[in-house]
Amino acid sequence: MNQAPLSGSPLLELQALNCRFGGLRALDRVSLAVKSGEIFGLIGPNGAGKTTLFNLISGLTAASGGRILWRGQPISGLRPDRIARLGLARTFQNLRLFASMSALENVLVGLHGRGRTPLVAGLLGTAAFRRRQRELEAQAFNLLELLELAPLAQQSAGSLSYGNQRRLEIARALATGPRLLLLDEPAAGLNPAEKSELSALIRLLRQRFDLTVLIIEHHVPLMMDLCDRLAVLNFGERIALGTPELVRRDPAVIEAYLGGAVEEAS
Amino acid sequence: MPLDASLLVQMLLGALLGLSVYLPLRAGQLSLATPGFYAIGGYTAALLSTRFPALAGDGALYPLPSLLLELVLAALIAGALALAIGGPVLKLKGIYLAIATIALVEILRVLNLNLGFTGGATGLFAIPQPFEGPVGYLLLSLAVLALVCWLCARLERLRLGRAMEAIREDELAAACMGLDTARVKLLSFLFSALVAAVAGVISAHFLNTWNARQGSFDASITTLAFVVFGGSRTWLGPVVGGLALTALPELLRPVGDLRLVVYGLVILLGPILFPQGLITPELLRRLRWPFRQTSAEAPAP
Amino acid sequence: MDHLLQLLVNGLSSGAVYALFALGYTLVFSVLGVINFAHGAVFTLGAYFTYLLIGGAVGANGLLAGLQLPFTLPFPLALLLAGVGAAAVSLLVEAAAFRPLRRRGADPLLALISSLGAGVILVNLLQLLVGAESYAIPTSALGTLPAAVSLGGAQVRTVQLLLMAIAALVVVVLTLWLERSRGGKALQAVAEDPTTARLLGINSDRMVQLAFGVSGFLAGVAGGLVGLSVSIAGPYFGIGYGLKGLGVLVLGGLGSVPGAVLGGLIVGLAEALVPADYSGFKDAVAYAFLFAVLLLRPRGLLGRPTITKV
Ligand SMILES: Nc1ncnc2c1ncn2[C@@H]1O[C@H](COP(=O)(O)OP(=O)(O)OP(=O)(O)O)[C@@H](O)[C@H]1O
Ligand SMILES: [Mg+2]
């Protein structure tokens, strides 16, 4: 599980991914490779296919063509839970927390895979089981603390503020023990102060958990600052790829952003 | 007095059936297959006890070990069926699952009505009695209900119970957190089948006769009403719903001919007045009910 | 050959009843996303209304024992009025069991239960009023029409022809109405997307009432015709049909008008083709079909997959 990827071979590789919804080409032969340890950004106008790309990677939507390789192995066609257990965790653009469960319970669901105990031991509440349970709760609590949600641990997820829900989504995803964290617009709806805190947080998480991060975000300055590399999608096509400096000067990107009327951050 | 004990037995069995509907619903699955598994339990008991003299023993009363054997066999049969059909059926969502499980109940009913060995429309008679009177049944059903309640209460604190709740809240997000949703749903369906089959075994002896009417579409909906009425977010809800709604038609006897109309009125108004059901986790917390303290409500470390 | 033709006619005419039933469910389902469990009771009421309106007398057992309307209507008019009466009851059901929950945006599951309650009330009130005995609508209600006609060697009862003709008519009119008229289009708009429809100024409450009214009317007419065809077997007689209609509905695909018709015909024909020796198993045919189809096509034969955007 924790073996380092072969030197040079990417952690996640997308090869000519296609996705069609009826007549709409949501993704058109998109290829890119995410290296272990980097923060990789995905930008593009609304409807460009960014979330669709996440859905393909996490197994929610079937690709119409192309391949997804995880540490060199194809994972297309696997169920979402299998993919998650391989070490890919995600957050959702339109927050999908377990709303009536507490913040702590949300994180505990993320920890599900690590809490394996015999059912009988659980039913009888043996000492070993209780110890394991306390450990898990402590772990969950630590994650909440890291994301500054500890005081809200017992509140129901649905009652948290928008910014807190966004961070709880990250905590829950981290709980699954991922190698790759997929963040879908984690800064949406946050105020400028929260946005700059988020950058620092993502760097901290990468370092602390030895993570690779694939992040979608509209706020271009934040992305230029945060990401090691960026890919730009427009109408389902990858129109640019490279370091922030390179992408910033790419004529196709400038065209897409100036041509596209809907861009809040430019 | 004997009449009251009989009613109590029926109420306890109603509570068990409520729990059987509740278990899959807790994982977000609206399965109405409970009466089908209940019927399987009943037929297993009726057939074994009337067709196999060896099981009946020589005494006046049906031996308890034979009853235990019936319980085990019924659970095995119902469990096997649940595992066999659960895989494909639980891929269906929402109302499609509900209707598919109703279809299952109806198919079983028609088979039971027409197959020779189930006694056809008249069913099976003279099912031997393991107890002298209703009090024995009362104790047995009480013990079974207590056991199932205890299991449900424990389940709510376990990893599996939390997984069920997560699937109910958002199945897709739960899968993305690595939960094997298909397996969790199948387990909840299996538990539901086991509880219903056990209730069926007790019920067959208690009623002394068994026929295809015992597991019908009406029963599907009535048992669902137990859960919606009592509340579907903690195990106590379906228990209260099952007890209350089973007793209601009897308690309404003084109303005479109007009683089923009033019963309908209660079912109509229940969801409107108590959309969460009578019993909710919030209510229990306010009343400091000791049994549902999920781990997450314990003081933080 | 004659025999086969006979079976075909029998199958098509009972399929027509199932289709009428499923159409009623589907109308309500497509606007509200809920199944109306009182639909079978509304159908039953339609049958009793028809019986009373053609001059039938209430038996000796209910509170209304011996009641007979002071007038006698010809069957077509009675059927039409019964449909209107059933529509009115259906609207009542909507107001009592659905509207309070809709206002609150409650879980559709709740409406399923409360509509069941409404159905229980209707059926038991009916039993209280007219007793549990069965009533027959005499074929003489058809007046000068012959009770049966011979068609290519098969004896086809006039009622069966009527059922098929009316079902066909209903499907055509309903489809035209949904596709062409303002009201029908508005109804579809609400079904597709209630929020947008509201922004377009469509009163969704009115559309819901429309759906309940039309579906109640269809159920009432179907009830009257079935009453004429096989007699009214007591206040509970709609429940079996209601359940089978539900199976047909899901078989065809929820919310699909052609699906409801297709499902009805498939089940009707399949039931008719069950050999006489196994007629006891007939009732399982619809459900076996349904079960098999759902496993292969989780949205029914003609149902559209719902799009869930993540
Ligand atoms: N399940 C689906 N069925 C049909 N069309 C879809 C589906 N999911 C997405 N689409 C369409 O695919 C296109 C890409 O959508 P996507 O959500 O991936 O965009 P995005 O880049 O994430 O945009 P945004 O910045 O607004 O989140 C859009 O036109 C969208 O309407
Ligand atoms: Mg998006």
Side-chain angles (χ1 to χ4, degrees), chain C residues 148-308:
Chain C
V149 291
S150 171
L151 206 135
Q155 278 296 309
V156 182
R157 294 165 59 213
T158 313
V159 196
Q160 292 183 316
L161 286 179
L162 262 179
L163 267 172
M164 289 186 271
I166 290 184
L169 185 74
V170 163
V171 170
V172 172
V173 171
L174 197 63
T175 312
L176 283 179
W177 179 70
L178 282 174
E179 301 294 333
R180 299 280 165 79
S181 77
R182 273 180 70 94
K185 281 183 185 158
L187 195 74
Q188 286 198 324
V190 174
E192 298 262 319
D193 186 348
T195 335
T196 315
R198 199 170 324 118
L199 292 178
L200 291 174
I202 299 172
N203 180 341
S204 65
D205 266 356
R206 283 289 273 290
M207 288 303 128
V208 170
Q209 284 173 338
L210 192 63
F212 270 90
V214 174
S215 103
F217 179 81
L218 294 183
V221 169
L225 287 168
V226 174
L228 175 63
S229 163
V230 296
S231 91
I232 308 170
Y236 286 90
F237 104 115
I239 296 195
Y241 284 98
L243 187 55
K244 220 170 269 174
L246 204 57
V248 162
L249 165 77
V250 178
L251 176 65
L254 285 169
S256 157
V257 170
V261 177
L262 182 68
L265 296 184
I266 290 179
V267 170
L269 284 174
E271 283 186 350
L273 294 177
V274 172
D277 289 350
Y278 297 96
S279 64
F281 293 98
K282 211 168 90 172
D283 279 336
V285 168
Y287 305 112
F289 253 106
L290 169 67
F291 206 72
V293 166
L294 279 185
L295 296 190
L296 299 174
R297 284 186 61 93
R299 298 261 152 200
L301 291 172
L302 300 183
R304 273 173 297 174
T306 49
I307 295 168
T308 41

Side-chain angles (χ1 to χ4, degrees), chain B residues 87-212:
Chain B
V89 167
L90 290 168
K91 291 210 178 93
L92 300 172
K93 306 252 177 276
I95 201 77
Y96 286 90
L97 174 62
I99 308 283
T101 48
I102 288 182
L104 179 77
V105 171
E106 283 297 301
I107 292 171
L108 282 173
R109 184 183 66 85
V110 172
L111 289 181
N112 288 330
L113 200 58
N114 289 284
L115 293 176
F117 71 91
T118 53
T122 45
L124 299 158
F125 289 99
I127 299 173
Q129 297 297 304
F131 307 110
E132 288 195 8
V135 176
Y137 286 104
L138 187 62
L139 294 177
L140 176 65
S141 352
L142 203 57
V144 172
L145 180 63
L147 178 72
V148 175
C149 285
W150 177 76
L151 287 172
C152 288
R154 288 297 308 173
L155 189 69
E156 287 178 15
R157 302 188 49 175
L158 293 186
R159 191 170 151 271
L160 180 60
R162 194 154 48 226
M164 287 164 73
E165 204 170 333
I167 292 173
R168 170 181 176 150
E169 294 270 312
D170 189 333
E171 185 170 344
L172 194 143
C176 284
M177 294 307 122
L179 290 191
D180 186 344
T181 51
R183 183 168 159 276
V184 174
K185 291 194 289 184
L186 189 60
L187 278 177
S188 68
F189 190 59
L190 172 69
F191 295 160
S192 159
L194 298 182
V195 173
V198 166
V201 171
I202 302 177
S203 190
H205 284 280
F206 175 68
L207 296 174
N208 192 7
T209 160
W210 197 259
N211 57 47

